[in-house]
Amino acid sequence: MKIELTVNGEQREADVWEGESLLFALREKLGLPGSKNACEQGECGSCSVLLDGTLVCACLVLAAQADGHDVVTVEGLGATGEPHPVQEAFVEAGAVQCGFCTPGLVVATVDLLAHSPQPSEDEIREALSGNLCRCTGYAKIFDAVRLAAQ
Amino acid sequence: MEVLTPRSLDEALRLKSENPQAVPIAGGTDLMVAINFDRIRPNAVLNLNEVPELRGWSRANGTLRLGAGLTYAEAMREPLAGLLPALAEASRTVGSPQIRNRGTIGGNLGTSSPAGDALPPLLVAGADVVLASVRGERRVALGEFVVGPKRNALAEDELVTAVELEPASAAETFMKVGPRNAMVIAVVSLALRAGEELRAAFGSAGPVPILVRAPRDDADAFPERVAEAAAPIDDVRGTAAYRRHALRVLTRRALDRCLA
Ligand SMILES: Cc1cc2nc3c(=O)[nH]c(=O)nc-3n(C[C@H](O)[C@H](O)[C@H](O)COP(=O)(O)OP(=O)(O)OC[C@H]3O[C@@H](n4cnc5c(N)ncnc54)[C@H](O)[C@@H]3O)c2cc1C
Ligand code: FES
Ligand code: FES
């Protein structure tokens, strides 16, 4: 089936299988591999995107449900050579090791700071509780969020 | 596979009656996992995201009506969180922000898991589930809606449209035991409303969530009554003995919190 949606501000069309996820459509049909696929069951957050401005796991949205809606992926946050301030903070704080979790964490952090520009420690932990990182131990990720909030 | 996307409740009910095998999808946080892992391959899914009548909540003559499409994130927001504090507390424990932004009350009812975190707070609030089809609308008490683990009273042409319940007139709370704060299926959970009557409901301690009631004067014996009403099993998340013990402790703590 055909779906039409706005992705990173651009009107896009994709031919999708009825049962496929928005994550699969973004990566395999729309040429946007920034959102990562690690679990396909909502546990890891590496596929986090904004759907109509709301943070969701793209693996749990049926691509067909995104028809007519607005999606922002990590690719839509900064441009090549012009990273988003949150991306810069992640680099500066050393919050990136293998980098697999980074796109999801960046999107989740952008969402957090949009709602709460000066988040408390608890708010940061709560906001990122749906994003798993197997490398950093999280301390540098929290540093990055604090840095981005400054 | 076919995706049916109705734009109104009437259209949704018509499509459901014409395609009774179509599986409803709201937030997709249960259903998409099953589809992604090829555990189910429905012929058709009925996408409820574009049905405005299922969204939000309202209040009329003192009764609250929560649309089936109400998300956990919405249940955590004021003023609803103040009207149903235990549901708000339970919602806060669900999954992660991403899951709470998508997962719905209607989906929790549709799944009817013994661990469904929305169920105990709705039970202590005396919730009725509103079911609709082209044949009309009916109300079923939540305790009768869930008939077994992952089984409920929905007929094949019906949808859950809403839940109706009384706002909290007395102190109420929700507690959940699990290995961490986020992303946890309850090892055991408990909702308590402490009015003239004490009402407790628990999750993950029996095939269906169960409501236990007692006069307020019987508070001292209540933790034991709640633990006795449970029918827990041993599984990967915990033993039956641990669950019964935890229920006793949670009920005591919930009473302390609500009667203080
Ligand atoms: C990572 C993760 C963490 C989770 N954590 C928790 C948790 O802590 N606590 C908890 O309780 N649950 C949890 N869940 C399960 C899930 O999020 C909840 O059960 C949620 O309420 C499901 O709602 P949904 O709208 O996403 O349902 P969907 O997946 O869209 O649907 C679920 C079922 O309900 C049916 N259905 C949906 N809407 C209707 C309707 N209006 N009428 C009739 N049938 C309907 C569907 O056909 C399907 O069978 C978690 C899931 C994930 C992936
Ligand atoms: S791939 Fe979506 S949450 Fe892990
Ligand atoms: S940097 Fe490797 S998973 Fe987070």
Side-chain angles (χ1 to χ4, degrees):
Chain A
M1 68 180 285
K2 198 171 262 178
I3 61 167
E4 284 178 35
L5 66 172
T6 309
V7 186
N8 300 331
E10 230 179 281
Q11 191 61 33
R12 301 287 303 268
E13 249 183 48
D15 202 6
V16 303
W17 171 59
E18 284 72 5
E20 83 191 32
S21 68
L22 173 62
L23 177 62
F24 190 87
L26 289 168
R27 291 178 54 85
E28 308 295 334
K29 307 285 172 69
L30 291 162
L32 293 166
S35 313
K36 299 291 177 253
N37 176 358
C39 74
E40 286 197 291
Q41 52 180 316
E43 297 276 349
C44 75
S46 63
C47 64
S48 298
V49 300
L50 301 173
L51 175 65
D52 298 328
T54 300
L55 186 71
V56 304
C57 294
C59 69
L60 299 182
V61 177
L62 195 64
Q65 290 183 301
D67 184 39
H69 291 271
D70 183 82
V71 178
V72 175
T73 71
V74 71
E75 288 95 337
L77 298 177
T80 311
E82 273 174 76
H84 186 280
V86 169
Q87 291 170 318
E88 276 179 339
F90 268 66
V91 173
E92 211 170 305
V96 183
Q97 286 190 31
C98 80
F100 200 85
C101 67
T102 311
L105 275 158
V106 165
V107 175
T109 303
V110 167
D111 180 65
L112 165 66
L113 297 180
H115 293 109
S116 178
Q118 297 295 323
S120 66
E121 284 303 295
D122 285 350
E123 265 181 285
I124 296 174
R125 280 163 192 267
E126 185 59 48
L128 302 185
S129 61
N131 293 77
L132 296 182
C133 173
R134 299 305 299 270
C135 301
T136 65
Y138 301 100
K140 303 223 163 178
I141 291 173
F142 297 144
D143 289 346
V145 179
R146 282 182 221 111
L147 186 64
Q150 278 171 18
Chain B
M1 199 190 277
E2 193 183 1
V3 182
L4 307 166
T5 301
R7 308 266 156 189
S8 70
L9 182 58
D10 277 350
E11 192 189 353
L13 297 180
R14 184 175 54 73
L15 286 171
K16 187 67 176 129
S17 97
E18 289 166 5
N19 308 273
Q21 82 296 346
V23 180
I25 181 166
T29 58
D30 279 318
L31 196 67
M32 281 303 288
V33 177
I35 292 180
N36 288 344
F37 285 82
D38 238 334
R39 285 186 205 125
I40 62 163
R41 181 64 67 90
N43 292 326
V45 291
L46 184 65
N47 170 21
L48 299 177
N49 281 358
E50 312 294 336
V51 179
E53 291 93 330
L54 299 181
R55 285 189 208 130
W57 61 279
S58 59
R59 191 177 189 177
N61 305 323
T63 300
L64 288 171
R65 185 183 167 95
L66 313 180
L70 189 84
T71 63
Y72 297 106
E74 288 167 338
M76 285 160 58
R77 247 170 249 153
E78 294 296 348
L80 187 55
L83 296 169
L84 295 172
L87 181 64
E89 284 176 77
S91 299
R92 248 176 249 132
T93 74
V94 170
S96 64
Q98 288 90 329
I99 301 300
R100 299 194 284 271
N101 283 338
R102 281 294 284 172
T104 65
I105 307 285
N108 213 232
L109 289 166
T111 296
S112 296
S113 160
D117 283 323
L119 307 182
L122 293 177
L123 262 178
V124 297
D128 283 330
V129 183
V130 185
L131 306 176
S133 70
V134 289
R135 296 174 288 125
E137 201 177 74
R138 62 182 178 126
R139 282 168 176 69
V140 180
L142 176 55
E144 281 150 43
F145 174 80
V146 184
V147 297
K150 308 214 168 172
R151 287 192 298 121
N152 59 50
L154 270 169
E156 61 172 15
D157 62 346
E158 280 180 323
L159 293 174
V160 176
T161 54
V163 172
E164 287 181 351
L165 67 176
E166 303 303 318
S169 50
E172 60 169 36
T173 192
F174 174 86
M175 295 177 176
K176 174 169 163 182
V177 176
R180 70 179 271 227
N181 237 349
M183 292 295 191
V184 155
I185 304 175
V187 175
V188 68
S189 66
L190 179 92
L192 176 82
R193 189 180 275 203
E196 286 309 298
E197 179 183 65
L198 301 173
R199 290 197 217 164
F202 48 77
S204 290
V208 296
I210 283 181
L211 181 67
V212 188
R213 319 155 79 138
R216 195 181 170 100
D217 292 342
D218 290 352
D220 287 344
F222 201 50
E224 198 50 50
R225 287 235 10 230
V226 172
E228 273 167 20
I233 53 167
D234 294 337
D235 68 12
V236 286
R237 282 176 281 132
T239 63
Y242 173 77
R243 288 183 154 109
R244 223 184 269 280
H245 173 71
L247 268 182
R248 217 172 277 130
V249 174
L250 290 191
T251 308
R252 176 81 271 146
R253 285 185 194 162
L255 284 168
D256 287 348
R257 197 185 275 180
C258 290
L259 299 177

